[in-house]
Amino acid sequence: MERIRLADDLTFSRLIHGCSRLADWGYSAEQLLGLIEFCLERGITTFDHADIYGNYTCESRFGEALALQPSWRGQMEIVTKCGIKRPSKYGMKSYDTSKDHIIASVEQSLRNFRTDYIDVLLIHRPDPFMNPEEVAEAFLRLKQDGKVRYFGVSNFKRSQWEMLQSYLPFPLVTNQIEASAYRLENFADGTVDLCLEKRVPPMVWSPLAGGAIFSADDDRAVRLRGTLEQVRGEAGAATIDEVLYAWLLVHPARMMPIVGSGKRERIERAVRALSLPLSREQWFAIWQSSMGHEVP
């Protein structure tokens, strides 16, 4: 599988396996290890996590599986995120990007994964109360201690990216953003342009729009399904899933879609998309179908 270079000594697999719903799959440690092996055999070596996934349980479940084959740790890249806090005494979600919280979160993640380093740590969401000096201090300490190799962000817009980057002595290596043929916000607001400008390959969450393309009955979804089905037939794809992944994969930004499924057949569809021929004309047909009008 194609590798995407994020730094001199860091590459990700072009497809990333997402573990946000790992706790819902009902897998034993042995079954999860089998799924990890399935991914590794297909060249998917990068695994995406966050401290809060599965109500703070997904990291430890993954670690329990990996403990059955600890040598596999060297064959993979582990990404995790921190900064979101579950409902407090006020009954609402909040953010915490303080130095102490970032460091404590990483320490817990290391225990959960049963490893001594994280490949990439992301700030999960932009924090309106962020003190970038504290974030920079936390990142620098974690890097110096060898606990985190590289750092990035998730869901950051241009001003937020540039603000945090200005405090760091090393470059952020990725921005994990939402993108799909159904949800184009990050194309429209310059976030994808920023990734191209900075030569930063974005990780892409919800590449199938959380399934909305398959089930929603709004005009956009209906139009898209028709166009995707047409392109599927032209390109020889088995399902429109493959077309949706291919639509992201052919983009010049070197997008890395996150496949967040525990089902092998769904992962296989994403892998098949890597070799799916998709022309510029077909790409724009899908774009215009989503927009509901022709390009100016």
Side-chain angles (χ1 to χ4, degrees):
M1 180 178 292
E2 179 188 4
R3 308 286 301 176
I4 298 295
R5 185 167 300 281
L6 283 77
D8 288 344
D9 60 346
L10 176 70
T11 62
F12 279 3
S13 52
R14 189 66 195 272
L15 294 174
I16 295 170
H17 190 248
C19 300
S20 63
R21 296 197 296 262
L22 187 157
D24 300 330
W25 299 338
Y27 287 167
S28 66
E30 291 78 9
Q31 289 171 323
L32 180 55
L33 185 70
L35 183 66
I36 294 171
E37 182 177 30
F38 180 86
C39 290
L40 292 175
E41 288 174 345
R42 282 149 185 79
I44 301 174
T45 65
T46 309
F47 296 85
D48 179 67
H49 291 264
D51 56 356
I52 62 167
Y53 287 164
N55 195 24
Y56 299 92
T57 66
C58 289
E59 288 184 341
S60 59
R61 288 171 184 260
F62 191 89
E64 289 169 7
L66 193 55
L68 300 175
Q69 284 286 353
S71 64
W72 290 3
R73 174 65 183 96
Q75 302 176 39
M76 64 175 63
E77 303 79 42
I78 292 179
V79 180
T80 196
K81 301 180 279 293
C82 69
I84 299 178
K85 296 181 77 171
R86 288 302 189 190
S88 65
K89 66 179 181 179
Y90 296 103
M92 64 184 69
K93 182 175 68 176
S94 62
Y95 300 130
D96 190 344
T97 54
S98 65
K99 177 182 178 180
D100 288 346
H101 180 77
I102 292 172
I103 292 174
S105 178
V106 168
E107 296 284 4
Q108 184 59 55
S109 292
L110 292 173
R111 289 190 290 271
N112 291 341
F113 289 125
R114 307 186 190 194
T115 187
D116 55 3
Y117 69 97
I118 301 297
D119 291 283
V120 179
L121 175 72
L122 311 179
I123 298 297
H124 204 154
R125 290 273 177 179
D127 175 6
F129 199 64
M130 176 185 288
N131 181 341
E133 290 182 349
E134 284 201 30
V135 177
E137 289 172 6
F139 282 7
L140 192 58
R141 177 172 160 185
L142 290 165
K143 189 173 184 66
Q144 290 172 341
D145 290 347
K147 294 177 178 177
V148 179
R149 296 178 62 205
Y150 290 98
F151 301 86
V153 294
S154 181
N155 303 294
F156 273 45
K157 302 302 183 183
R158 174 179 289 274
S159 62
Q160 296 155 344
W161 170 283
E162 293 183 337
M163 176 274 294
L164 180 56
Q165 181 63 81
S166 72
Y167 284 82
L168 297 171
F170 42 73
L172 297 165
V173 298
T174 192
N175 188 5
Q176 185 174 131
I177 62 174
E178 181 181 17
S180 69
Y182 186 68
R183 297 197 170 106
L184 304 175
E185 175 188 333
N186 283 308
F187 288 95
D189 67 11
T191 303
V192 172
D193 295 339
L194 175 68
C195 293
L196 284 162
E197 175 188 329
K198 304 299 183 184
R199 279 69 167 174
V200 171
M203 301 171 68
V204 174
W205 62 271
S206 203
L208 304 183
I213 291 177
F214 309 106
S215 58
D217 58 4
D218 59 277
D219 290 345
R220 171 174 282 187
V222 172
R223 285 196 309 270
L224 262 176
R225 281 196 292 272
T227 304
L228 289 165
E229 184 59 35
Q230 179 181 345
V231 173
R232 181 204 65 75
E234 294 171 353
T239 67
I240 64 172
D241 302 34
E242 297 171 40
V243 180
L244 288 163
Y245 283 117
W247 190 81
L248 295 169
L249 289 164
V250 300
H251 193 276
R254 297 180 297 156
M255 296 179 178
M256 298 174 286
I258 299 171
V259 186
S261 178
K263 296 181 178 180
R264 286 166 168 77
E265 63 270 22
R266 291 187 178 275
I267 297 170
E268 283 282 17
R269 291 175 192 172
V271 172
R272 288 199 298 268
L274 290 163
S275 56
L276 189 68
L278 203 66
S279 69
R280 180 183 291 261
E281 185 177 11
Q282 289 169 329
W283 194 93
F284 271 103
I286 293 168
W287 171 271
Q288 293 177 169
S289 181
S290 183
M291 295 286 287
H293 58 76
E294 293 186 359
V295 295

